[in-house]
Amino acid sequence: MRSGTDRLPPRVRTLYIHLVLITAGLLILLPYYLMVITSLKPLHEVFTDPFTWFPSRLAWENYREAWTHAPFARYFANTLFIAVVETAGVLVTSALAGYAFARMRFWGRELLFTLFLGTLMVPGEVQLVPNYITITRLGWLNTYYALIVPWLGSVFGIFFMRQFFATIPQELQDAARIDGASHLTFLRRVVVPLSRPAFITVALLTFLGSWNALTWPLIVTNTPEMRPIMVGLLSFSSEWGTQPRLLMAAATFSVAPVLVLFFVLQRYFIQGIARAGMKF
Amino acid sequence: MAVDAAVGSPAGLGPRSRTRRRLLENVEAWLFLLPAAAVLAVFHFFPILYAFFVSLLRWNMIDPVRPFVGVENYVRLAGDEKFLTALGNTTYYAVVSVAVALPLALLFAALLNRRITGVSWYRTAFFIPYVTPLAAGAMAWGWLYHPDRFGLLNYLLDKTGVPPQQWLLDPRQAMPALIAVAVWGTLGRDIVIFLAGLQYIGAEYYEAAQMDGATGWQLFRHITLPLLSPTTYFLLVISMIGAFKVFALPLFLTGGGPLDRTLTIVYSIYQQGFQYFRMGYASAQAYALFAIIFLITLAQRQIAARRVHYDA
Amino acid sequence: MGTRRVTIWRAVTAAALLLAALVGQAASGGPVTITFWHGMSGVLLPAVDELTRDFNRLNPGIVVNAQYQGNYGILNQKLIAAVAAGNPPTISQVFPTWTDQLMRANAIVPVARFFRGADGLSEDELNDIFPILRQASTFGGTMWTMPFNKSLYLLFYNADLLKEQNLKVPQTWDEFVAAARALTKEEGGRTVRYGFVVRPNVDYFTTMLLANGGAFLRSATEVAFNGPAGVEALQWLVDLVQKHKVAYVLPGFADADFGAGKVAMYVATNPGLSFAKAAVGGKFQVGLAPLPYKKAKATILSGTDVAIMARATPEQQAAAWKYIKFLTSTNGTTRWSLRTYYMPVRRSGRDSTLMRVYLRDNPEHKAGLDSLEFARTEPSMAEWQEIRDIISDAVEQALLGKAGPQQVLDAAAQKANRLLQQRK
């Protein structure tokens, strides 16, 4: 890309690139390394001067202790359930709404879309208390309903689907109309199969958002049975101090599933974003 | 013939059936929107309206007495030193973090946009900070930033002869330190989005330009950047919006200090609303923030209209 | 098609019957269920659960659900939000400033209501509670909450290091400076260990304010912390860092540095001991001592009381009172204290055999119990929450050398007075 490196032989250029990427990668991962290495330190080595870069032994028991410190099995199950249901729900509502915005004409379309986008500009903290009161009035406090329903509509998801669906050629839609197909049929039979990258992208981002959610679940759950993982991580910190090795162990096994998911799906993920194009 | 006839409309002719068709299509569209709109209306629109109503009161959430004070809260925040400090801090944070993050992400995306071995691993590595829970990441960064000789960064600096820095404790260094953490956190997402944008640029553009004898830098300036502009614009907008809403970073790392140098607007809203229970005042601040973000996004849209090139 | 419909109907009927059974049971006068919201995490959580389990076992007609809600800040937010939504727990931990806000919104009922009754407290039992704790829970002459997990600020120190330097535990400010100096170690022109660490927050200052004979308030609308006693106290802290160079400033928990041996002494509350021990990991002995003083021995009370929500039904309130009585009984408070290092709330708890045996084996806890004699409370009006933050800002400014103690404290006093005057 730069004229300088263009003149280097390709082998050297690749080496150069690898070097840059590895250095950058190591720097980026430094805090993460601290987290993982702390999770494997025995108790007396967590706080030492000078800092121990590698523990004398790998304290795998930290993971067991962190797992049993709070009902993490339950937290995991909750988080998984909530994330899956929420993702499925978001895909459905976003596809429907995105399709309407992209391929249907109706009164108030632009206005409504702008309104939807506008909600992204308000900090979520403002919505906490009114939503809490709404949830209480509905009797949903400390239930899965409270954790899932408010997030079944995603403006980002709608926006993304709309961008992506807009790239479907008009000829396909005309052909479907001639065949007498309804909008729903067209959506189901033609648009969705063509939009796999978009669905994967929205699914991955929604899943991630749900997995990492902290503030809302913290407020609407009262008992450990209903809590997701991130809330569980909080139990390692308090007014009086933190238990770093347990927190880091828990953080590591909380992050692992999402990382694996990303690693496996990254190509679709990027494709999805690419095809959606970023037209406002 | 019927240009705006959509899929699924009954094949009737004549003006009356056309308006009926139009009406039916409207209803059908709204039905498509209904699931998402219902959820958004209850859990996003309603709270925003409710917050506006509350911003006109003086209320601590549980006091049965809640006097209507009109625009008093808004007037107050215009002259509130702490809020203005937060406004300045947040603007500084937004501008610098975006100005650093985007070019950096573009650089790495360009490097990762090649068919080199292990690119999946590199991409995952860059993405890890984005998925790391902040509660744990903040602790690790806290160790890096520990003041005095004990902190890890200072330990490394010490090897090169630089005296230990106060980092999060130094009023001048605290915000840049936070910005570094912020960039670290969003780099992965920005890289992925840039990667997507880069892949969207067809190879034929580069080939044509190279045949004309363009150098690497010229290729970048005249092909890549313009064709990337929709992506850049998108990232600019969402990064700015996100930056103005920053809260978790100062909450976990600095508590708004030192000397309120890392106090951001949302942090101020949190303090006023959830620690001092001044719900009216907090809501007014939230609306002020909304107005600011809205104006900035509008301004960005104006610039985009002139500078962003969409592919034909 | 037919079989599927039958299955569905069967499921629906079963669900309806189950629902009816549950509803029926609740209506037919089953056990009274109450919820207790708290912020006890770490080792404190099992301690709460253990006491709750015992109570439930001894009282088959009552079921207490003790639920951890997060740290104190989150607990506060959730509690107020729940009250606002009309769905609060039966009882909750509260700080005195929260009590003030809840009381003025008629959201809680005073525990004093339950003193005379079948399950009441005799005069002796009431007097058995430490006077300072009763005072902290009393608003307008009535006792509104029951003290539960009360702590106070103590000096944490590295006992091995003190022994190594042949130092006795410092008691006065001057002794403290001398000890800190002896404990600060330099190596190659750099400090590798500090004697003390100063956290730039309100508590480090206010404890020293009281230790210097100062006061919080002059009247209901005027603060007194910017008087000469306060200025001198803040100056002393600043001097530790700037002049004597025996301390450094750290905005977070000091247990990490303490455990790594980078600092020899710091100030924290009793429950911090379990975290200190965890951070130390057995590398050395942790000691506790009363805070150093200049004019008068003093320390500040912290920790929460328990309040009963007004929304609870009379049966629930009565049941909740029984539970509170259990938690704060001699036996209850002693067990709680031994498990969590919080102070016992009753004199009989402090003097109990169980406690005496424990102290014989763990003498470091004597410091806390002794300090109870001269513990003081902070003002408890709701506005004090924000005033604490205002004072913290001032302390931070002074410690970072941005301005002198008199200047920052005066500015803080001005803001604080304005808040107090706005109080209706």
Side-chain angles (χ1 to χ4, degrees):
Chain A
M1 259 205 166
R2 258 136 230 101
S3 48
T5 55
D6 268 0
R7 299 207 189 94
L8 291 173
R11 215 33 90 73
V12 179
R13 196 178 343 151
T14 317
L15 196 66
Y16 183 69
I17 292 176
H18 273 285
L19 214 63
V20 173
L21 285 178
I22 290 179
T23 318
L26 287 179
L27 286 176
I28 298 266
L29 288 182
L30 182 60
Y32 196 67
Y33 174 77
L34 290 183
M35 284 169 49
V36 175
I37 212 65
T38 304
S39 73
L40 289 172
K41 283 185 180 171
L43 184 54
H44 62 274
E45 276 185 34
V46 175
F47 295 119
T48 54
D49 177 32
F51 188 78
T52 33
W53 289 94
F54 205 80
S56 57
R57 66 173 177 87
L58 294 177
W60 293 106
E61 71 269 15
N62 289 344
Y63 281 83
R64 201 181 354 116
E65 206 183 317
W67 185 263
T68 52
H69 178 274
F72 270 97
R74 181 72 199 220
Y75 292 159
F76 250 98
N78 284 337
T79 311
L80 196 61
F81 177 68
I82 296 167
V84 167
V85 175
E86 191 179 310
T87 305
V90 165
L91 286 179
V92 169
T93 64
S94 300
L96 286 173
Y99 180 84
F101 279 121
R103 311 217 66 99
M104 297 170 86
R105 272 191 178 73
F106 55 96
W107 181 81
R109 186 177 70 174
E110 293 310 310
L111 177 67
L112 205 58
F113 191 66
T114 315
L115 269 179
F116 278 16
L117 281 184
T119 62
L120 289 177
M121 301 186 203
V122 182
E125 287 75 15
V126 168
Q127 301 162 358
L128 280 179
V129 171
N131 282 341
Y132 180 85
I133 298 181
T134 307
I135 293 288
T136 310
R137 296 274 158 79
L138 287 168
W140 285 354
L141 212 58
N142 209 39
T143 64
Y144 286 120
Y145 291 106
L147 289 162
I148 298 176
V149 173
W151 311 106
L152 286 178
S154 159
V155 173
F156 178 77
I158 296 174
F159 174 68
F160 201 85
M161 292 290 187
R162 181 246 212 189
Q163 297 296 92
F164 202 90
F165 291 169
T167 66
I168 305 272
Q170 183 63 31
E171 300 85 65
L172 288 177
Q173 189 168 353
D174 295 337
R177 175 184 46 96
I178 292 173
D179 284 348
S182 68
H183 276 297
L184 202 56
T185 316
F186 178 56
L187 172 63
R188 236 170 7 108
R189 293 262 179 81
V190 182
V191 178
V192 170
L194 283 179
S195 311
R196 199 160 36 147
F199 277 84
I200 293 185
T201 307
V202 174
L204 190 59
L205 286 174
T206 310
F207 191 87
L208 180 64
S210 178
W211 191 268
N212 278 350
L214 175 57
T215 324
W216 178 251
L218 181 59
I219 297 215
V220 298
T221 58
N222 295 333
T223 58
E225 289 81 45
M226 299 305 301
R227 290 187 168 138
I229 292 186
M230 294 303 150
V231 178
L233 286 185
L234 278 189
S235 65
F236 294 111
S237 315
S238 69
E239 264 81 34
W240 312 277
T242 318
Q243 297 158 287
R245 63 194 173 98
L246 297 182
L247 172 63
M248 297 312 180
T252 312
F253 61 63
S254 306
V255 167
V258 181
L259 274 181
V260 169
L261 211 60
F262 173 78
F263 187 76
V264 165
L265 294 175
Q266 51 183 291
R267 205 164 16 108
Y268 293 103
F269 187 50
I270 296 173
Q271 247 182 57
I273 300 175
R275 293 260 301 281
M278 299 304 159
K279 300 191 183 54
F280 263 99
Chain B
M1 218 331 20
V3 173
D4 55 352
V7 175
S9 41
L13 297 160
R16 192 130 50 100
S17 64
R18 203 173 298 158
T19 32
R20 213 188 64 171
R21 236 183 291 143
R22 203 82 64 86
L23 190 63
L24 272 176
E25 186 174 343
N26 265 277
V27 172
E28 198 181 358
W30 291 335
L31 281 177
F32 268 64
L33 288 173
L34 191 61
V39 171
L40 290 176
V42 174
F43 293 104
H44 291 268
F45 284 114
F46 166 66
I48 294 177
L49 291 173
Y50 180 85
F52 181 70
F53 172 64
V54 171
S55 77
L56 303 174
L57 307 172
R58 193 184 321 140
W59 190 38
N60 77 351
M61 266 232 265
I62 56 177
D63 206 327
V65 173
R66 33 185 188 172
F68 179 84
V69 293
V71 295
E72 179 188 299
N73 287 327
Y74 290 96
V75 171
R76 206 169 114 197
L77 66 84
D80 183 353
E81 195 192 316
K82 239 185 177 182
F83 179 74
L84 294 173
T85 306
L87 181 56
N89 291 343
T90 314
T91 309
Y92 173 67
Y93 169 88
V95 170
V96 176
S97 67
V98 173
V100 171
L102 291 197
L104 208 58
L106 181 53
L107 168 67
F108 284 118
L111 290 177
L112 288 171
N113 193 29
R114 296 153 188 262
R115 224 165 275 131
I116 51 177
T117 49
V119 70
S120 311
W121 291 96
Y122 284 125
R123 286 205 293 242
T124 310
F126 282 102
F127 203 69
I128 286 182
Y130 189 60
V131 302
T132 307
L134 194 55
M139 196 174 203
W141 276 98
W143 289 337
L144 281 172
Y145 279 143
H146 195 296
D148 274 0
R149 229 181 37 100
F150 309 137
L152 285 178
L153 269 183
N154 284 336
Y155 176 76
L156 292 171
L157 281 180
D158 190 50
K159 304 281 182 188
T160 60
V162 178
Q165 305 296 310
Q166 294 289 299
W167 303 119
L168 295 175
L169 205 48
D170 185 327
R172 280 164 311 160
Q173 293 177 344
M175 192 53 113
L178 277 194
I179 291 176
V181 181
V183 171
W184 173 82
T186 54
L187 203 59
R189 176 199 67 178
D190 294 347
I191 290 177
V192 164
I193 293 183
F194 266 133
L195 269 177
L198 282 173
Q199 287 186 2
Y200 192 61
I201 303 175
E204 64 268 19
Y205 291 100
Y206 287 115
E207 282 160 15
Q210 265 169 335
M211 281 204 293
D212 285 347
T215 63
W217 176 247
Q218 286 176 329
L219 278 176
F220 183 71
R221 251 198 74 188
H222 296 286
I223 308 267
T224 313
L225 273 186
L227 287 179
L228 205 53
S229 51
T231 313
T232 314
Y233 174 60
F234 173 73
L235 265 181
L236 200 63
V237 172
I238 66 170
S239 299
M240 268 295 180
I241 294 180
F244 267 93
K245 297 198 291 187
V246 66
F247 167 57
L249 265 184
L251 180 70
F252 277 110
L253 282 170
T254 60
L259 305 178
D260 285 343
R261 285 301 173 85
T262 58
L263 183 72
T264 63
I265 300 182
V266 180
Y267 199 106
S268 170
I269 295 174
Y270 170 78
Q271 251 184 353
Q272 294 296 325
F274 290 108
Q275 287 183 340
Y276 310 146
F277 296 108
R278 287 210 197 92
M279 292 308 289
Y281 194 47
S283 302
Q285 291 192 357
Y287 264 86
L289 176 63
F290 168 68
I292 293 169
I293 295 182
F294 185 72
L295 287 172
I296 292 184
T297 311
L298 261 183
Q300 282 177 324
R301 207 182 183 150
Q302 294 301 91
I303 301 175
R306 281 182 289 129
R307 305 280 299 272
V308 175
H309 310 257
Y310 289 107
D311 196 41
Chain C
M1 206 59 312
T3 36
R4 206 179 336 153
R5 211 180 296 167
V6 170
T7 324
I8 294 177
W9 270 113
R10 281 217 199 104
V12 170
T13 325
L17 282 173
L18 185 60
L19 197 62
L22 287 171
V23 173
Q25 182 187 49
S28 71
V32 179
T33 315
I34 66 173
T35 44
F36 172 38
W37 278 12
H38 64 84
M40 307 278 90
S41 63
V43 307
L44 308 170
L45 182 58
V48 175
D49 288 341
E50 198 186 286
L51 282 172
T52 309
R53 248 196 319 267
D54 287 349
F55 177 82
N56 285 336
R57 221 171 357 102
L58 293 170
N59 295 273
I62 305 177
V63 172
V64 178
N65 289 318
Q67 298 167 344
Y68 171 68
Q69 299 302 324
N71 63 28
Y72 286 139
I74 297 169
L75 175 61
N76 191 11
Q77 293 151 22
K78 292 182 77 165
L79 185 61
I80 299 293
V83 170
N87 193 4
T90 320
I91 54 177
S92 170
Q93 283 185 320
V94 290
F95 275 94
T97 49
W98 309 2
T99 310
D100 185 51
Q101 183 185 7
L102 290 166
M103 192 179 77
R104 302 173 114 223
N106 298 320
I108 54 175
V109 295
V111 295
R113 191 184 286 186
F114 302 91
F115 287 172
R116 301 174 200 297
D119 251 320
L121 287 179
S122 72
E123 199 63 38
D124 286 337
E125 282 174 312
L126 268 178
N127 290 328
D128 188 30
I129 304 176
F130 286 105
I132 187 71
L133 299 179
R134 283 182 67 183
Q135 185 191 322
S137 294
T138 306
F139 293 78
T142 315
M143 208 164 151
W144 277 79
T145 56
M146 271 303 262
F148 170 46
N149 56 315
K150 307 303 282 187
S151 58
L152 29 81
Y153 285 91
L154 297 167
L155 185 70
F156 283 53
Y157 62 89
N158 185 331
D160 290 5
L161 272 181
L162 253 71
K163 210 179 304 175
E164 193 187 297
Q165 300 287 327
N166 276 318
L167 293 165
K168 71 169 176 63
V169 179
Q171 290 190 321
T172 65
W173 279 11
D174 292 335
E175 285 173 19
F176 184 79
V177 178
R181 202 170 276 141
L183 290 164
T184 304
K185 190 165 100 170
E186 295 211 9
E187 230 169 60
R190 295 195 189 111
T191 316
V192 299
R193 185 177 66 223
Y194 280 95
F196 189 58
V197 57
V198 183
R199 194 168 171 178
N201 72 1
V202 52
D203 301 308
Y204 266 73
F205 164 63
T206 46
T207 44
M208 292 302 120
L209 164 75
L210 295 181
N212 199 21
F216 289 108
L217 297 173
R218 192 168 293 137
S219 71
T221 52
E222 209 187 333
V223 299
F225 57 73
N226 60 328
V231 174
E232 201 185 342
L234 188 50
Q235 185 68 55
W236 183 72
L237 284 174
V238 172
D239 286 344
L240 285 175
V241 178
Q242 314 273 7
K243 192 163 106 180
H244 307 295
K245 301 209 195 288
V246 297
Y248 65 108
V249 182
L250 184 70
F253 306 121
D255 56 346
D257 288 357
F258 182 69
K262 302 173 187 170
V263 66
M265 303 186 283
Y266 70 104
V267 171
T269 56
N270 321 46
L273 183 58
S274 55
F275 289 88
K277 285 192 170 167
V280 168
K283 296 198 282 278
F284 53 82
Q285 177 89 5
V286 181
L288 295 178
L291 295 173
Y293 68 98
K294 179 151 179 211
K295 296 234 176 72
K297 292 197 190 174
T299 183
I300 298 187
L301 271 183
S302 187
T304 66
D305 317 305
V306 182
I308 306 179
M309 300 293 138
R311 268 273 178 149
T313 67
E315 292 87 42
Q316 287 175 318
Q317 291 182 8
W321 167 247
K322 264 190 133 160
Y323 175 65
I324 295 174
K325 233 186 112 176
F326 173 78
L327 284 180
T328 57
S329 63
T330 306
N331 193 307
T333 194
T334 311
R335 281 175 64 191
W336 174 250
S337 176
L338 293 181
R339 280 291 292 276
T340 62
Y341 309 132
Y342 274 107
M343 317 300 316
V345 303
R346 290 173 170 282
R347 274 190 272 244
S348 53
R350 179 196 59 188
D351 302 333
S352 66
T353 325
L354 214 59
M355 183 66 76
R356 261 191 278 204
V357 168
Y358 179 74
L359 282 178
R360 213 183 36 218
D361 300 329
N362 302 275
E364 66 260 17
H365 292 279
K366 238 183 135 283
L369 293 173
D370 290 343
S371 297
L372 205 48
E373 300 297 329
F374 40 81
R376 309 260 291 278
T377 56
E378 280 179 284
S380 53
M381 64 279 288
E383 287 79 2
W384 192 255
Q385 186 61 43
E386 190 174 354
I387 295 179
R388 278 177 55 96
D389 287 345
I390 294 174
I391 300 178
S392 271
D393 284 348
V395 172
E396 193 181 33
Q397 281 183 324
L399 280 172
L400 291 181
K402 296 298 163 189
Q406 183 76 63
Q407 197 182 339
V408 300
L409 286 178
D410 282 341
Q414 210 179 31
K415 292 192 200 141
N417 288 338
R418 210 169 350 166
L419 278 177
L420 289 177
Q421 280 148 18
Q422 280 169 3
R423 182 179 156 89
K424 286 177 296 285

